[in-house]
Amino acid sequence: MVQMGFTAKAIGCLLLAALSAVTGYHVGQNSEELKNARAQITALERTIEEFKVKQTSDAVALSELRLAESASRDELDRMRSQLADIERMSKTNTDRERNRCLRLAVRYKEVVDRADRAIKFCAENHK
């Protein structure tokens, strides 16, 4: 039984050594997986930071674009207003020119009518 005990102890030691080796292997493997996971987490965190910076940059660019668009709309509104003023002034100048022509036409008609009356008067009275 002593030999059996020794054999059992030897087998137990061998099983313990094998179990330790397998456990060590798994711990090593888990440790390697943990290193890989940590490396992936670090890479993902770096990527997230890059995207945050890009998002901030895009937000600033979008804000600047909105400001430029608003300024452009304001400038277009100002130009449209100026154009409307110029058109109004042009119409007013045209109206003034037309009114001036109408006033001259009325004066011309008055002068022609006076001349006609004078000619008639002379014709009737100075035969």
Side-chain angles (χ1 to χ4, degrees), residues 51-105:
F51 278 114
K52 282 182 182 179
V53 169
K54 178 78 169 118
Q55 182 182 18
T56 302
S57 173
D58 289 349
V60 168
L62 183 60
S63 176
E64 289 172 354
L65 182 63
R66 286 179 179 157
L67 288 173
E69 182 183 10
S70 178
S72 178
R73 271 196 310 270
D74 291 346
E75 180 66 13
L76 284 173
D77 289 344
R78 185 188 66 76
M79 290 172 71
R80 285 187 189 114
S81 176
Q82 282 183 337
L83 182 59
D85 290 344
I86 290 169
E87 287 174 350
R88 251 193 314 279
M89 288 173 58
S90 175
K91 287 178 183 177
T92 301
N93 289 338
T94 303
D95 289 344
R96 286 179 186 161
E97 195 66 37
R98 183 181 49 115
N99 289 342
R100 191 176 310 137
C101 288
L102 289 174
R103 280 193 299 271
L104 288 173

Side-chain angles (χ1 to χ4, degrees), residues 18-32:
L19 184 61
S20 293
V22 169
T23 304
Y25 173 76
H26 285 297
V27 168
Q29 191 177 26
N30 288 344
S31 177
E32 190 65 30

